[in-house]
Amino acid sequence: MKLTEDKKREISKKNMKIYPYYIMFAYDLLFFYGIKVMFFSEVKGLSDSQILLSTSLYAVFFILMQFPASIIVSKIGKKNTIVLGNIINLFSIIIFMILKTFNGLVVAELISAVAFSLKNLSESNLLTISIPKTNDSNEIFTNIDKKGMAKFYVFSAISTILSGWLYKINPYLPMIFCLISAFISTMISFNFGDLEVEKNNDISLKEYIKELKKGYKFTINSKRLRALLIAVGIICGIISVIETYQLVLLQDIGVSSVEVTLIYALYEISKAAFSLKATDFNKRFKNRSITNILGIFSFCLIFCGIVALLSIPLGIKIALIVILILTMGAMNGTSQILSKKYLNSFTNEKILTCIYSAKGVSDNIFRTIITGVGSFILSITEINIASVVVGLLLIVLTFIISMYMENKVGLSPDEYTQKDIYIR
């Protein structure tokens, strides 16, 4: 069936309208991470090392799934891939709920990695192809995306607080609410319009793979994309360290579990508020935005460690650390929006699947490396010293990435070489 121009506009408007509400429920698991460790250790009887290992295995599974997921997106289209990813996600949550052994947890992580690989490669791409091709397309994408992310962060903050209370009533209640949230996202995904009904299903798998290889070759050869993927990957890795370190630091200075939950909720709200201001941040700092975000992360980590070491009243110490944590939350929310804004710039929708696939690989490689370094440092020293050390190392890393990105990122479109502009 061939779509008329009026029908395409109707579908595009519908997709852009419901996308923020979809992301609110679908960006990540809700009601889950606040009770994840307690649920698997207290209810399922798994050790902390097994839980940590399962997280690492998820990253490996996610990396391995990128190429197969790219083929699926190319073959069945972005809308159908989103629906498929959400349905698979429901099964992963059910397995999380019913598993009894570590092997069950590994299976659940594998299925979850499959689900989020499919979702990761198709969600932003669907929004991209739904936006009219104008000079402001990237800005429209960013405005819609940040609305969805802000809604998700606020809902995540609320669900984090509620999950702790629900867990006390019954450990399975947060998981049931997690499943309900995922079910809602699945139902919303069915309502996206399909702009790819004219896809040529007669194209062979061999030709799809050839096209994907061309896309991956472009991604690797583009100096601009290499620099962006490295920078975004480093941000992804350091955020993982920060979100672990801040919880350990708060507990170390004597903050109660209830207060930790509230602070984490404020952290999520800070992400929501500043994700809406991401474009303002980018307009002010332009091609220095990424390095400034990394620099602020460095500053906050160092001062969190220093404040924790100071002999000052506990109330003042907590207040100062909370301010620093909220600042890191602000940079986290800003970085999530800008990373997609940059990756969507000067690119063709045909190549976006490969770019997001490469991003998935890069993010998880850097997450594994940086969290590994962070875990090692934490294993040999106290959390306050570890925060300072990681902050200092990040300053060095920020300087290196700043030098590498110079003359590669933040140029005007006509300053990029042919290797940085994809032509099908």
Side-chain angles (χ1 to χ4, degrees), residues 70-71 76 83 99 144 185 199 230 259 317 323 336:
S70 299
I71 295 175
I76 70 174
V83 173
L99 66 85
I144 296 172
S185 69
K199 286 177 70 67
I230 291 171
E259 291 170 334
K317 182 179 291 190
I323 291 171
Q336 298 302 314

Side-chain angles (χ1 to χ4, degrees), residues 39-235:
F39 181 77
F40 289 140
S41 60
E42 296 176 4
V43 179
K44 300 300 179 178
L46 301 175
S47 67
D48 290 342
S49 61
Q50 288 177 321
I51 297 169
L52 184 61
L53 176 59
S54 73
T55 302
S56 299
L57 288 174
Y58 173 87
V60 174
F61 295 147
F62 193 92
I63 291 170
L64 294 176
M65 270 302 302
Q66 293 310 298
F67 189 71
S70 299
I71 295 175
I72 292 172
V73 174
S74 299
K75 193 66 179 175
I76 70 174
K78 298 169 183 63
K79 185 261 176 120
N80 292 332
T81 305
I82 292 174
V83 173
L84 178 61
N86 279 283
I87 291 173
I88 294 174
N89 187 41
L90 291 173
F91 283 102
S92 72
I93 297 170
I94 291 171
I95 296 175
F96 279 134
M97 294 173 68
I98 65 175
L99 66 85
K100 295 181 179 179
T101 64
F102 175 67
N103 289 338
L105 180 57
V106 172
V107 171
E109 293 286 15
L110 171 59
I111 296 175
S112 182
V114 172
F116 278 94
S117 293
L118 294 172
K119 283 156 56 63
N120 177 66
L121 295 184
S122 52
E123 290 167 345
S124 294
N125 287 350
L126 178 70
L127 177 59
T128 299
I129 66 173
S130 299
I131 295 172
K133 300 298 177 280
T134 66
N135 292 333
D136 298 326
S137 295
N138 200 26
E139 292 302 318
I140 295 171
F141 172 92
T142 303
N143 288 332
I144 296 172
D145 185 50
K146 69 184 182 182
K147 289 177 183 177
M149 293 300 296
K151 291 178 187 295
F152 169 78
Y153 289 139
V154 171
F155 196 10
S156 176
I158 295 169
S159 70
T160 299
I161 296 173
L162 290 177
S163 63
W165 292 338
L166 292 169
Y167 185 85
K168 290 180 181 179
I169 298 171
N170 186 306
Y172 283 91
L173 278 178
M175 298 302 298
I176 292 172
F177 275 84
C178 178
L179 186 63
I180 292 171
S181 298
F183 179 77
I184 292 172
S185 69
T186 305
M187 291 299 99
I188 296 175
S189 71
F190 277 102
N191 287 279
F192 282 122
D194 191 354
L195 288 165
E196 299 172 296
V197 293
E198 301 169 54
K199 286 177 70 67
N200 185 359
N201 293 318
D202 295 327
I203 297 177
S204 67
L205 179 61
K206 184 177 179 180
E207 289 173 307
Y208 274 120
I209 294 175
K210 182 180 178 181
E211 181 67 27
L212 286 172
K213 285 182 178 178
K214 180 182 177 182
Y216 283 119
K217 183 178 179 181
F218 161 76
T219 303
I220 294 170
N221 289 335
S222 169
K223 293 180 180 179
R224 170 181 174 267
L225 276 173
R226 280 207 308 269
L228 282 174
L229 290 172
I230 291 171
V232 170
I234 291 171
I235 288 176

